Amino acid sequence: MATTVQRPGGAYVQRSSSGGLYEVIDVILDKGLVIDVFLRVSLVGIELLTVDARIVIASVDTYLRFAEAVNRLEITGTEQSEGLPQLMQDMTEGGAGNKTRGVLEGAKESLFGSSDDDGDSREGSRSRAGSDRRSK
Amino acid sequence: MSAQAKPKYVYGVVPKAASLPRGTGIRRSRLHAIEDGELAAIVSDAPEGEIQAGREELLTHARVLERARDRGVVLPMRFGVVMPDEDAVRHELLEGYRDELLLQMRELEGKAELRLRAVYDQDALMKEIVKAHSDIAGLSAALRDRPADAMYYERIELGQKVAAAIEQAAIVDLSAILDALEPLAVAAQVEEPDHEHVAANVSFLVEEAQIPAFDAAVDELGRQNDGRLRFKYTGPLPPYSFVELPAQD
């Protein structure tokens, strides 16, 4: 059974109906009515997501990555001749989208992505290889 | 053990008159309703022990509530609420919180949750930042072509400036998104960004009749930000972000 139904619509926005679990996992686990004493959730597998999400908060590693991203960019950025439409095309066609996908997004995709094999999914999020999986 | 004495997994609360959603609950258990006064809880017998927050389980929870929403107003429970037996559901949930539940049911009738997440395209964002901040452009030019292990502290300084610039950009983009969409919504709840390239992560409560207009406004935002922001738009959902029980001791 498909977990995500793409709604027809503009090409600029990725839409999902409510059936898409990947989009609603945050709400299901964090929101909704709750009586704390009756909460019986085993978060095995889920805690990985939480840990990963916190890793991205400001750290030296983050700063070095940002610096690298800017430096890498500067080389093409000084070539003023590159028009904006061309840039946009590069971005949508190029592999940059895969590399820049966030850690959490990648992990979530591993857990709820196309694979039906739970063991495989968990392994994916542990190694934080979610973004790589996408490019396969 | 009789059915009444079995632990119950609770999906949500609906008006007593509402019909049960079709389909089964977690572990393919039968859905049934527990009623009290004007309210009913949608439940199924719960498996022993804790509820694994696995893919199937989460999906089932979402699906049951989605189908309930198709039939009218539903107050969704968070994933994983298990009450010891039918009496506990009746007394500690439906009776214990009757006033709050009825009030929220009235407020949420005919409304849906729509979630919008806007994530920067990293390259587009970095280009904007370099253009807008001459100090970043200068520092980057000075560092370029140096070996990766040289100028370590300068690299960190550059990264910090970039991080600050991203934060600034996100403030601007979030407020533009809210300006465009809040007038079409009953309420909006801004979530903390869950990673560094998130410009906005917002849940909106929207009247069903306003959803087409809201869709169009989201599309327009997508057009305006094509290439720099990727939008993920989800819904209509049960109003997960707009229900609440008072804090318990």
Side-chain angles (χ1 to χ4, degrees):
Chain A
M1 206 191 310
T3 58
T4 301
V5 181
Q6 294 296 326
R7 281 163 53 185
Y12 304 102
V13 175
Q14 186 191 339
R15 291 185 170 193
S16 333
S17 77
S18 32
L21 177 60
Y22 160 64
E23 284 80 8
V24 298
I25 173 171
D26 299 333
V27 252
I28 293 177
L29 289 173
D30 284 346
K31 306 288 176 62
L33 299 173
V34 65
I35 305 176
D36 293 335
V37 293
F38 297 120
L39 205 55
R40 298 267 183 280
V41 186
S42 164
L43 290 179
V44 175
I46 295 299
E47 61 194 340
L48 287 169
L49 297 183
T50 330
V51 169
D52 281 352
R54 294 202 178 116
I55 283 172
V56 301
I57 311 305
S59 67
V60 167
D61 184 52
T62 310
Y63 297 144
L64 289 173
R65 271 191 301 109
F66 283 162
E68 203 233 330
V70 167
N71 285 341
R72 196 157 37 83
L73 188 81
E74 192 71 352
I75 297 163
T76 51
T78 49
E79 292 161 16
Q80 297 294 339
S81 60
E82 193 174 24
L84 200 60
Q86 182 57 43
L87 278 180
M88 298 305 179
Q89 203 181 0
D90 289 349
M91 275 165 219
T92 44
E93 285 175 3
N98 293 333
K99 288 186 212 105
T100 56
R101 291 167 54 77
V103 166
L104 182 67
E105 231 174 315
K108 275 204 275 189
E109 197 148 291
S110 306
L111 195 55
F112 301 112
S114 52
S115 168
D116 280 317
D117 181 344
D118 269 344
D120 178 35
S121 303
R122 243 172 255 131
E123 209 171 280
S125 66
R126 185 168 297 134
S127 62
R128 287 194 263 137
S131 47
D132 294 331
R133 293 165 57 85
R134 183 152 234 229
S135 55
K136 273 176 200 167
Chain B
M1 193 158 56
S2 74
Q4 284 83 5
K6 278 186 180 157
K8 301 293 178 189
Y9 184 95
V10 191
Y11 300 87
V13 179
V14 294
K16 184 184 176 183
S19 53
L20 273 176
R22 280 181 303 128
T24 54
I26 283 177
R27 306 257 179 100
R28 301 190 187 279
S29 51
R30 186 181 62 86
L31 293 175
H32 59 283
I34 297 174
E35 296 172 356
D36 185 77
E38 310 94 309
L39 298 171
I42 302 171
V43 305
S44 64
D45 288 347
E48 289 298 315
E50 295 194 308
I51 305 294
Q52 185 80 35
R55 186 176 165 194
E56 271 315 302
E57 289 85 353
L58 291 162
L59 190 60
T60 302
H61 183 92
R63 285 275 165 76
V64 167
L65 286 167
E66 178 50 28
R67 286 192 292 260
R69 204 197 77 84
D70 290 342
R71 291 161 188 260
V73 62
V74 55
L75 306 180
M77 302 294 290
R78 187 176 304 180
F79 179 86
V81 173
V82 177
M83 301 186 80
D85 54 31
E86 207 170 305
D87 275 355
V89 176
R90 194 168 284 122
H91 298 304
E92 299 195 45
L93 175 64
L94 298 179
E95 199 183 301
Y97 293 103
R98 169 174 298 139
D99 293 347
E100 291 89 347
L101 294 170
L102 285 171
L103 180 69
Q104 289 176 50
M105 211 164 264
R106 273 196 296 277
E107 283 173 352
L108 296 169
E109 174 110 55
K111 302 185 182 79
E113 177 165 341
L114 294 166
R115 294 171 66 79
L116 186 67
R117 189 175 146 86
V119 181
Y120 288 111
D121 178 286
Q122 177 169 288
D123 283 2
L125 176 64
M126 294 298 171
K127 275 177 215 258
E128 280 175 27
I129 284 173
V130 168
K131 248 181 213 162
H133 301 263
S134 54
D135 55 333
I136 289 176
L139 197 50
S140 173
L143 288 175
R144 205 192 322 151
D145 302 331
R146 302 289 187 108
D149 51 350
M151 315 284 280
Y152 180 75
Y153 292 103
E154 288 78 0
R155 279 173 208 277
I156 290 176
E157 190 197 341
L158 173 60
Q160 279 171 331
K161 284 179 190 289
V162 172
I166 293 177
E167 220 167 286
Q168 264 181 41
I171 290 169
V172 172
D173 282 311
L174 173 62
S175 81
I177 288 167
L178 290 177
D179 285 351
L181 298 179
E182 260 187 324
L184 298 168
V186 180
Q189 195 178 308
V190 177
E191 317 285 348
E192 284 295 307
D194 53 12
H195 76 82
E196 62 204 22
H197 290 134
V198 174
N201 196 9
V202 190
S203 298
F204 295 93
L205 186 67
V206 180
E207 296 266 7
E208 299 277 354
Q210 280 284 356
I211 290 178
F214 198 88
D215 285 352
V218 169
D219 274 342
E220 181 53 31
L221 279 171
R223 249 190 302 280
Q224 286 165 9
N225 291 285
D226 188 30
R228 62 184 297 271
L229 279 176
R230 280 175 291 132
F231 285 94
K232 273 196 166 174
Y233 181 36
T234 308
L237 297 172
Y240 290 100
S241 303
F242 300 95
V243 293
E244 195 179 17
L245 291 180
Q248 302 114 37
D249 300 326

